[in-house]
Amino acid sequence: MGINIQRRSLLKGGVAGTLLSLFQPAKTASAHKIKKYPNSYGVLVDLTRCVGCRSCEAACNLEQGLPEPHSPFSDESVFEADEHGRARRTDATAYTVVQRFNFPQQDHPLFKKVQCNHCLEPACLTSCFVNAYTKTPEGAVIYNPDVCVGCRTCMIACPFYIPTFNYSSGLHPRIRKCIFCYDTRLKFGKPPACVEACPQEALIFGKREKLIKIARRRIEKNGSRYQDHIYGEHEAGGTSWLYLSPVPFSEVGFNTELPDEPILDGVKGFLAIVPMVLTIWPALFAGFHLLATRKELKPPATNGTHEEETR
Amino acid sequence: MKNYTSDLPHLPIWGSFKPDGSAWKLKERLFLGLPFSEYLKTVTASWLNRVLAAILVVGFYFLAERYIFGLSRITHGSNDYPWGLFLGFGLFAMVPLSASGFLLGTTVVIFGRKDFHSIERLALLNGLLGYFFAVVYLEVDLGMPWRLAYPMFVSFGPAAVLFLVAWHVATYLSVQIAELLPALFIWLDRKSWVKYITRISLGLTIAGIILSTLHQGALGALFTYAPTKIHPLWLSIDFQWIHFFCSAIFAGLSMVIVSSTLINHFMPWRCGKQFTADLDRITLGLAKGSSYAMFTYLVIKLVAVAHDNEWELLLTGWGGYYLLEIAIGVVLPMVMFARSIRTGRVRTARTAAFITVFGIVWNRLNTAIVCFNYQMYQDIPHWKEIWVTLTIYAIYFITYRFIVYRLPIVFDWEDTQEKA
């Protein structure tokens, strides 16, 4: 990630960085190294196999110690559109939710499991000004509540609307999102709780590169059943969770307008001007000052203007 | 206060000494030269103060709720709209309206335009208070406000735009405090300290330009993290920071016109002779600067539409709204500014400045809230959120007025006995 290193070192050259390095140079130096981890894990979600049983939700709730839901996991009324006419979404009490999409021309609805997609270059991570997010070599994007300030920029930046905030806590608010069961499972190479709970094998866990091959093979074998696209292979720079769908992805709530580049790429234009302004502006404006106040030098200044004193 | 100045010719306090030659005590300076009971009477007699008090009492109750039970008590606590009015108005609108400090600093100190000197301090104060209260708004909005200094001392995310904003706003706040210290020193009769600040004023001003360029731009760049969420007309990946920076120029200048107009109209007793005499000329000068910046802004806005090839979007409903915002918020005041310069009618320029300030707030709210999640439902802020936003603004107003009443912001301090 040459560009990242370059940008970081340039920023470090700035006012902020110089001061920072006085405090904790070691920590600064390791910040925001968004490495690509070729051997990381992922999950392939096959919408043709999901029956909407919500076992994954129940397993997640148990594994992550989340509060008991208002209605049991067998309750199908949760699939109804919410007050804003939208499919349900993750919140501070549910890291994963299953959405239902009805198609009048088909006899059965489609279900889609939503959770953090664990981007390869996560926007939440790159937008976080206290470096609260980490992309682990195993593939999980995890969050550190001990440094989070609660600015919620990650929620703005996430193109999948995944991070949530427990607004109802005054003293211990925090971001809540799926962490790929990192602490309890992924770290040890085990699949997350939701995958293990899936009775339909709609979710398969494995190395991301292998999953892409599996997905391709499924598309090749059953061309009529699948869209010829693996959602997450390239979207927003690629995600660890990948999706296969029988219908166009836009019809099952996927954002198909996402760029293939990581979200950070759009921000780099601004970040690139920072060192320019920091280095050129002082000289430029000091020069303007000298030119603009030159006339005053000719007649000897009588009442000691402050321009005189600054020299 | 108005009533008193007509009865008591030695008031308001113009300098260090009373007419009888003795020095004003600090307590007297704080209470505007009135006995405390009289001062209290003037405060409670004003209907404006009563309205402000009512806003504050209810507002503080809501704030207590927010800090004890969490943000969802006073906001919708939406996961789809993480940023509401506290940031949409408090940060994204207050900061450009406070660009005045660096703009007038540049005009007077860098370009040596001494003819703008009588308004420089007001511009600096407007800048300092705007930034300070932007941070106050931030402290209401942040989930863990007690960790405000974390990006400075505990954990660093130097590739994040917000990291830059945090550092720059913090640094720039201290620069602005330093720039305004002379007014405080003079008020405290510590004139000898002023020279230390004057020596570094060029450095401070240049630091102000750098920091302002970057963080005004950075506030725009923050939205480039959400390329798919904000309506493309309000988000131009390549030009967003220039849009925000350029509009901050006329926002800051117009805010000074607004502020000086209000001060000149509602507290003429406080305005020094020089300030009153210069104000019309300066207002037209600021109007000129403003209209140039607006023209530049319109050109870059047009370039952005062309660059992103969004012409057909202009014909949609959102496009109509976009054009309306530009027409009312920028084109109309720009034409009015231009007319006022040609005809010399300062009133027109003042009206235009009010419209400009409204236009900037409108633009920032559009970018942060209205056109955010444009493909989703609209989130209308909770009424308590609006009330708390108003509360903080009321505190801003009170602080602003408190300082202008006392410190030599719009008048020159007399520190000699005979002239007082």
Side-chain angles (χ1 to χ4, degrees), chain A residues 4 7-8 11 15-16 19-20 23-24 27-28 31-32 84 86 89-92 123 126-132 143 145-161 163-175 255 257-259 263-267 269-271 273-274 277-278 281-282 285-286 288-290 292-293 296 305-307 309-310, chain B residues 66-73 75-84 87 106 108-112 114 117 120 141-148 150-164 166-168 171 195 198-202 206 209-211 213-215 217-218 221-229 237 241 245 372-379:
Chain A
N4 278 320
R7 191 181 57 251
R8 194 177 64 245
L11 265 171
V15 183
L19 285 168
L20 274 185
F23 294 114
Q24 274 173 321
K27 220 171 174 182
T28 318
H32 278 283
H84 302 295
R86 295 177 49 77
R89 60 155 294 161
T90 55
D91 62 35
T126 47
S127 70
C128 180
F129 72 154
V130 286
N131 207 19
Y143 161 82
D146 294 332
V147 296
C148 176
V149 181
C151 71
R152 310 193 291 284
T153 310
C154 49
M155 294 164 68
I156 295 278
C158 175
F160 304 109
Y161 291 93
T164 67
F165 191 73
N166 59 337
Y167 289 98
S168 53
S169 170
L171 297 174
H172 304 287
R174 53 165 290 178
I175 294 287
N255 186 347
E257 287 164 25
L258 276 186
I263 296 294
L264 184 66
D265 279 17
V267 188
F270 171 73
L271 292 170
I273 68 140
V274 175
V277 169
L278 283 175
W281 259 220
F285 282 91
F288 281 155
H289 171 65
L290 292 176
T293 55
E296 292 167 24
T305 60
H306 56 254
E307 273 80 8
E309 287 175 25
T310 47
Chain B
R66 175 255 172 276
Y67 284 110
I68 298 168
F69 302 109
L71 271 166
S72 58
R73 273 298 178 101
T75 71
H76 286 151
S78 166
N79 286 319
D80 295 326
Y81 285 88
W83 290 346
L87 293 189
T106 310
V108 178
V109 179
I110 304 293
F111 293 114
K114 300 244 173 52
H117 180 72
E120 189 192 359
D141 189 73
L142 283 183
M144 297 75 139
W146 55 91
R147 291 182 181 171
L148 183 69
Y150 269 36
M152 278 87 180
F153 302 112
V154 178
S155 185
F156 313 117
V161 173
L162 201 62
F163 184 77
L164 185 139
W167 269 92
H168 282 214
T171 322
K195 66 169 188 280
T198 318
R199 273 186 199 151
I200 55 166
S201 72
L202 181 63
I206 292 179
I209 304 173
I210 298 170
L211 296 168
T213 313
L214 288 177
H215 68 239
L222 265 181
F223 291 105
T224 57
Y225 279 115
T228 56
K229 297 184 182 178
I237 295 291
W241 74 270
F245 174 66
F372 188 80
N373 288 341
Y374 70 107
Q375 286 158 322
M376 230 189 241
Y377 62 96
Q378 277 298 328
D379 184 61

Side-chain angles (χ1 to χ4, degrees), chain A residues 203-220:
Chain A
L203 312 170
I204 27 174
F205 172 80
K207 293 279 160 71
R208 182 178 186 267
E209 282 168 12
K210 211 172 158 196
L211 291 177
I212 291 174
K213 283 186 193 138
I214 295 174
R216 285 252 166 73
R217 212 169 301 140
R218 283 191 196 172
I219 294 171
E220 272 165 35

